[in-house]
Short mmCIF file of all heavy atoms in Angstrom, two decimals:
data_model
loop_
_atom_site.label_atom_id
_atom_site.label_comp_id
_atom_site.label_asym_id
_atom_site.label_seq_id
_atom_site.Cartn_x
_atom_site.Cartn_y
_atom_site.Cartn_z
N ARG A 161 8.87 11.95 6.19
CA ARG A 161 8.57 12.95 7.23
C ARG A 161 7.34 12.55 8.04
O ARG A 161 6.92 13.29 8.92
CB ARG A 161 8.32 14.32 6.58
CG ARG A 161 9.52 14.96 5.95
CD ARG A 161 9.21 16.41 5.57
NE ARG A 161 7.90 16.57 4.97
CZ ARG A 161 7.67 16.74 3.65
NH1 ARG A 161 8.67 16.78 2.81
NH2 ARG A 161 6.45 16.89 3.20
N GLY A 162 6.74 11.41 7.69
CA GLY A 162 5.55 10.96 8.39
C GLY A 162 4.26 11.47 7.78
O GLY A 162 3.19 11.31 8.36
N ASP A 163 4.32 12.10 6.61
CA ASP A 163 3.15 12.67 5.94
C ASP A 163 2.75 11.77 4.78
O ASP A 163 3.47 11.68 3.78
CB ASP A 163 3.49 14.08 5.45
CG ASP A 163 2.38 14.69 4.63
OD1 ASP A 163 1.24 14.17 4.65
OD2 ASP A 163 2.63 15.72 3.98
N LEU A 164 1.63 11.10 4.91
CA LEU A 164 1.17 10.19 3.86
C LEU A 164 0.29 10.89 2.82
O LEU A 164 -0.08 10.28 1.82
CB LEU A 164 0.40 9.02 4.46
CG LEU A 164 1.27 7.99 5.17
CD1 LEU A 164 0.42 7.01 5.94
CD2 LEU A 164 2.14 7.27 4.18
N THR A 165 -0.03 12.16 3.02
CA THR A 165 -0.92 12.86 2.10
C THR A 165 -0.40 12.88 0.68
O THR A 165 -1.13 12.54 -0.26
CB THR A 165 -1.18 14.30 2.60
OG1 THR A 165 -1.67 14.24 3.93
CG2 THR A 165 -2.18 15.01 1.72
N ALA A 166 0.86 13.29 0.49
CA ALA A 166 1.42 13.36 -0.87
C ALA A 166 1.48 11.98 -1.50
O ALA A 166 1.21 11.82 -2.69
CB ALA A 166 2.80 14.00 -0.85
N LEU A 167 1.81 10.96 -0.72
CA LEU A 167 1.86 9.60 -1.24
C LEU A 167 0.45 9.11 -1.58
O LEU A 167 0.23 8.50 -2.63
CB LEU A 167 2.52 8.67 -0.22
CG LEU A 167 2.91 7.28 -0.70
CD1 LEU A 167 3.86 7.35 -1.88
CD2 LEU A 167 3.54 6.50 0.43
N ALA A 168 -0.52 9.41 -0.73
CA ALA A 168 -1.90 8.99 -0.97
C ALA A 168 -2.44 9.56 -2.28
O ALA A 168 -3.18 8.88 -3.00
CB ALA A 168 -2.79 9.41 0.19
N GLU A 169 -2.05 10.78 -2.60
CA GLU A 169 -2.51 11.42 -3.83
C GLU A 169 -1.99 10.70 -5.08
O GLU A 169 -2.57 10.83 -6.15
CB GLU A 169 -2.09 12.88 -3.86
CG GLU A 169 -2.80 13.72 -2.84
CD GLU A 169 -2.24 15.13 -2.73
OE1 GLU A 169 -1.29 15.48 -3.47
OE2 GLU A 169 -2.76 15.90 -1.91
N LEU A 170 -0.91 9.95 -4.94
CA LEU A 170 -0.31 9.26 -6.07
C LEU A 170 -0.90 7.87 -6.31
O LEU A 170 -0.62 7.25 -7.33
CB LEU A 170 1.20 9.10 -5.85
CG LEU A 170 2.02 10.37 -5.84
CD1 LEU A 170 3.46 10.04 -5.51
CD2 LEU A 170 1.92 11.09 -7.16
N LEU A 171 -1.68 7.37 -5.37
CA LEU A 171 -2.16 5.99 -5.46
C LEU A 171 -3.46 5.87 -6.24
O LEU A 171 -4.44 6.56 -5.96
CB LEU A 171 -2.37 5.41 -4.05
CG LEU A 171 -1.15 5.36 -3.16
CD1 LEU A 171 -1.53 4.79 -1.79
CD2 LEU A 171 -0.02 4.56 -3.79
N ASP A 172 -3.45 4.97 -7.21
CA ASP A 172 -4.65 4.63 -7.95
C ASP A 172 -5.63 3.96 -6.97
O ASP A 172 -5.19 3.26 -6.06
CB ASP A 172 -4.26 3.65 -9.07
CG ASP A 172 -5.43 3.29 -9.95
OD1 ASP A 172 -5.67 4.02 -10.92
OD2 ASP A 172 -6.08 2.25 -9.68
N PRO A 173 -6.93 4.13 -7.14
CA PRO A 173 -7.88 3.47 -6.24
C PRO A 173 -7.71 1.94 -6.18
O PRO A 173 -7.98 1.34 -5.15
CB PRO A 173 -9.25 3.83 -6.82
CG PRO A 173 -9.02 5.07 -7.60
CD PRO A 173 -7.60 4.98 -8.12
N ASP A 174 -7.23 1.34 -7.26
CA ASP A 174 -7.06 -0.12 -7.30
C ASP A 174 -5.60 -0.55 -7.16
O ASP A 174 -5.24 -1.66 -7.56
CB ASP A 174 -7.63 -0.66 -8.62
CG ASP A 174 -9.13 -0.43 -8.74
OD1 ASP A 174 -9.83 -0.58 -7.72
OD2 ASP A 174 -9.58 -0.07 -9.84
N VAL A 175 -4.77 0.28 -6.57
CA VAL A 175 -3.36 -0.02 -6.41
C VAL A 175 -3.16 -1.33 -5.66
O VAL A 175 -3.97 -1.71 -4.82
CB VAL A 175 -2.63 1.14 -5.67
CG1 VAL A 175 -3.13 1.30 -4.25
CG2 VAL A 175 -1.12 0.95 -5.70
N GLU A 176 -2.07 -2.03 -6.00
CA GLU A 176 -1.71 -3.26 -5.29
C GLU A 176 -0.30 -3.11 -4.73
O GLU A 176 0.58 -2.60 -5.39
CB GLU A 176 -1.74 -4.46 -6.23
CG GLU A 176 -3.11 -4.83 -6.71
CD GLU A 176 -3.10 -6.07 -7.56
OE1 GLU A 176 -2.17 -6.24 -8.37
OE2 GLU A 176 -4.01 -6.89 -7.38
N LEU A 177 -0.13 -3.58 -3.51
CA LEU A 177 1.18 -3.67 -2.87
C LEU A 177 1.41 -5.15 -2.59
O LEU A 177 0.70 -5.76 -1.79
CB LEU A 177 1.21 -2.86 -1.57
CG LEU A 177 2.45 -2.99 -0.70
CD1 LEU A 177 3.70 -2.56 -1.46
CD2 LEU A 177 2.30 -2.17 0.57
N MET A 178 2.37 -5.72 -3.31
CA MET A 178 2.58 -7.16 -3.25
C MET A 178 3.92 -7.48 -2.59
O MET A 178 4.94 -6.91 -2.96
CB MET A 178 2.53 -7.75 -4.65
CG MET A 178 1.29 -7.34 -5.46
SD MET A 178 -0.28 -7.77 -4.68
CE MET A 178 -0.29 -9.51 -5.08
N TRP A 179 3.89 -8.39 -1.63
CA TRP A 179 5.09 -8.86 -0.93
C TRP A 179 5.84 -9.81 -1.85
O TRP A 179 5.28 -10.34 -2.80
CB TRP A 179 4.64 -9.56 0.34
CG TRP A 179 5.74 -9.90 1.30
CD1 TRP A 179 6.18 -11.15 1.60
CD2 TRP A 179 6.52 -9.01 2.08
NE1 TRP A 179 7.18 -11.10 2.52
CE2 TRP A 179 7.42 -9.79 2.85
CE3 TRP A 179 6.55 -7.63 2.23
CZ2 TRP A 179 8.33 -9.23 3.73
CZ3 TRP A 179 7.46 -7.08 3.10
CH2 TRP A 179 8.34 -7.88 3.84
N TRP A 180 7.11 -10.07 -1.57
CA TRP A 180 7.88 -10.97 -2.44
C TRP A 180 7.36 -12.39 -2.42
O TRP A 180 7.56 -13.14 -3.36
CB TRP A 180 9.37 -10.92 -2.19
CG TRP A 180 9.84 -11.20 -0.78
CD1 TRP A 180 9.80 -12.37 -0.11
CD2 TRP A 180 10.45 -10.27 0.10
NE1 TRP A 180 10.33 -12.25 1.14
CE2 TRP A 180 10.76 -10.95 1.30
CE3 TRP A 180 10.78 -8.93 0.02
CZ2 TRP A 180 11.36 -10.34 2.38
CZ3 TRP A 180 11.39 -8.32 1.10
CH2 TRP A 180 11.67 -9.02 2.26
N THR A 181 6.70 -12.80 -1.34
CA THR A 181 6.03 -14.09 -1.27
C THR A 181 4.54 -13.81 -1.11
O THR A 181 4.14 -13.21 -0.11
CB THR A 181 6.53 -14.91 -0.07
OG1 THR A 181 7.94 -15.07 -0.18
CG2 THR A 181 5.87 -16.27 -0.01
N PRO A 182 3.70 -14.20 -2.06
CA PRO A 182 2.27 -13.91 -1.95
C PRO A 182 1.69 -14.42 -0.63
O PRO A 182 2.06 -15.49 -0.14
CB PRO A 182 1.65 -14.67 -3.13
CG PRO A 182 2.78 -14.80 -4.11
CD PRO A 182 4.03 -14.95 -3.27
N GLY A 183 0.80 -13.61 -0.05
CA GLY A 183 0.18 -14.02 1.20
C GLY A 183 -0.43 -12.86 1.96
O GLY A 183 -0.92 -11.89 1.37
N ASP A 184 -0.36 -12.95 3.29
CA ASP A 184 -1.02 -12.00 4.17
C ASP A 184 -0.50 -10.57 4.05
O ASP A 184 -1.18 -9.63 4.45
CB ASP A 184 -0.90 -12.45 5.63
CG ASP A 184 -1.69 -13.72 5.90
OD1 ASP A 184 -2.60 -14.04 5.10
OD2 ASP A 184 -1.38 -14.40 6.89
N TRP A 185 0.71 -10.38 3.57
CA TRP A 185 1.29 -9.04 3.47
C TRP A 185 0.80 -8.28 2.24
O TRP A 185 1.02 -7.10 2.10
CB TRP A 185 2.81 -9.12 3.45
CG TRP A 185 3.38 -9.47 4.79
CD1 TRP A 185 3.55 -10.73 5.30
CD2 TRP A 185 3.84 -8.58 5.79
NE1 TRP A 185 4.11 -10.67 6.55
CE2 TRP A 185 4.29 -9.35 6.88
CE3 TRP A 185 3.93 -7.20 5.87
CZ2 TRP A 185 4.81 -8.79 8.03
CZ3 TRP A 185 4.46 -6.64 7.03
CH2 TRP A 185 4.88 -7.43 8.09
N ASP A 186 0.16 -8.96 1.31
CA ASP A 186 -0.33 -8.31 0.10
C ASP A 186 -1.51 -7.40 0.42
O ASP A 186 -2.35 -7.73 1.27
CB ASP A 186 -0.78 -9.35 -0.93
CG ASP A 186 0.37 -10.19 -1.46
OD1 ASP A 186 1.53 -9.81 -1.25
OD2 ASP A 186 0.09 -11.24 -2.07
N CYS A 187 -1.56 -6.25 -0.25
CA CYS A 187 -2.65 -5.30 -0.07
C CYS A 187 -3.27 -4.99 -1.42
O CYS A 187 -2.56 -4.77 -2.40
CB CYS A 187 -2.13 -3.99 0.53
SG CYS A 187 -1.42 -4.14 2.16
N HIS A 188 -4.59 -4.92 -1.43
CA HIS A 188 -5.33 -4.64 -2.66
C HIS A 188 -6.23 -3.43 -2.42
O HIS A 188 -7.10 -3.48 -1.55
CB HIS A 188 -6.17 -5.85 -3.08
CG HIS A 188 -5.34 -7.09 -3.25
ND1 HIS A 188 -4.64 -7.35 -4.39
CD2 HIS A 188 -5.07 -8.11 -2.40
CE1 HIS A 188 -3.99 -8.49 -4.26
NE2 HIS A 188 -4.23 -8.97 -3.05
N GLY A 189 -6.01 -2.37 -3.15
CA GLY A 189 -6.82 -1.16 -3.03
C GLY A 189 -6.13 -0.10 -2.18
O GLY A 189 -5.31 -0.40 -1.31
N LYS A 190 -6.46 1.12 -2.48
CA LYS A 190 -5.83 2.27 -1.84
C LYS A 190 -5.98 2.25 -0.31
O LYS A 190 -5.04 2.53 0.42
CB LYS A 190 -6.44 3.55 -2.43
CG LYS A 190 -5.78 4.81 -2.01
CD LYS A 190 -6.35 5.98 -2.79
CE LYS A 190 -5.67 7.27 -2.44
NZ LYS A 190 -6.14 8.38 -3.29
N ALA A 191 -7.16 1.90 0.18
CA ALA A 191 -7.40 1.90 1.63
C ALA A 191 -6.48 0.91 2.34
O ALA A 191 -5.89 1.24 3.38
CB ALA A 191 -8.86 1.60 1.94
N GLU A 192 -6.35 -0.31 1.81
CA GLU A 192 -5.48 -1.31 2.43
C GLU A 192 -4.01 -0.89 2.40
O GLU A 192 -3.29 -1.06 3.37
CB GLU A 192 -5.60 -2.67 1.72
CG GLU A 192 -6.79 -3.48 2.13
CD GLU A 192 -6.76 -4.88 1.52
OE1 GLU A 192 -5.66 -5.44 1.31
OE2 GLU A 192 -7.85 -5.40 1.25
N VAL A 193 -3.58 -0.35 1.25
CA VAL A 193 -2.19 0.09 1.12
C VAL A 193 -1.90 1.20 2.11
O VAL A 193 -0.90 1.17 2.83
CB VAL A 193 -1.88 0.53 -0.33
CG1 VAL A 193 -0.52 1.21 -0.41
CG2 VAL A 193 -1.93 -0.67 -1.26
N LEU A 194 -2.78 2.19 2.19
CA LEU A 194 -2.56 3.30 3.12
C LEU A 194 -2.60 2.84 4.57
O LEU A 194 -1.83 3.34 5.40
CB LEU A 194 -3.58 4.41 2.89
CG LEU A 194 -3.34 5.24 1.65
CD1 LEU A 194 -4.50 6.20 1.41
CD2 LEU A 194 -2.02 6.00 1.74
N ALA A 195 -3.45 1.87 4.89
CA ALA A 195 -3.50 1.35 6.26
C ALA A 195 -2.16 0.71 6.63
O ALA A 195 -1.63 0.94 7.73
CB ALA A 195 -4.63 0.35 6.41
N LEU A 196 -1.60 -0.08 5.73
CA LEU A 196 -0.30 -0.72 5.99
C LEU A 196 0.80 0.33 6.12
O LEU A 196 1.62 0.27 7.05
CB LEU A 196 0.05 -1.71 4.89
CG LEU A 196 1.41 -2.39 5.05
CD1 LEU A 196 1.46 -3.24 6.31
CD2 LEU A 196 1.75 -3.21 3.83
N LEU A 197 0.84 1.30 5.21
CA LEU A 197 1.89 2.32 5.28
C LEU A 197 1.75 3.18 6.52
O LEU A 197 2.76 3.56 7.13
CB LEU A 197 1.86 3.18 4.01
CG LEU A 197 2.19 2.44 2.71
CD1 LEU A 197 2.06 3.38 1.52
CD2 LEU A 197 3.54 1.78 2.77
N THR A 198 0.53 3.46 6.94
CA THR A 198 0.30 4.23 8.18
C THR A 198 0.81 3.43 9.38
O THR A 198 1.46 3.98 10.27
CB THR A 198 -1.19 4.55 8.33
OG1 THR A 198 -1.60 5.34 7.22
CG2 THR A 198 -1.47 5.31 9.62
#
């Protein structure tokens, strides 16, 4: 629905979002993950 609030509440401060090939698409930490999802 375009609302990241509920998703943000579920993220650990040290969450990682990893692409299938390691590199520039990887995100480390809640702020980076939320920036990419936004």
Side-chain angles (χ1 to χ4, degrees):
R161 291 190 318 257
D163 175 14
L164 286 170
T165 305
L167 192 58
E169 292 172 1
L170 294 176
L171 300 179
D172 183 87
D174 297 320
V175 65
E176 292 184 320
L177 173 59
M178 309 302 283
W179 190 249
W180 56 69
T181 303
D184 293 340
W185 287 86
D186 294 345
C187 297
H188 304 278
K190 188 173 182 174
E192 279 187 32
V193 170
L194 286 173
L196 177 64
L197 296 177
T198 299

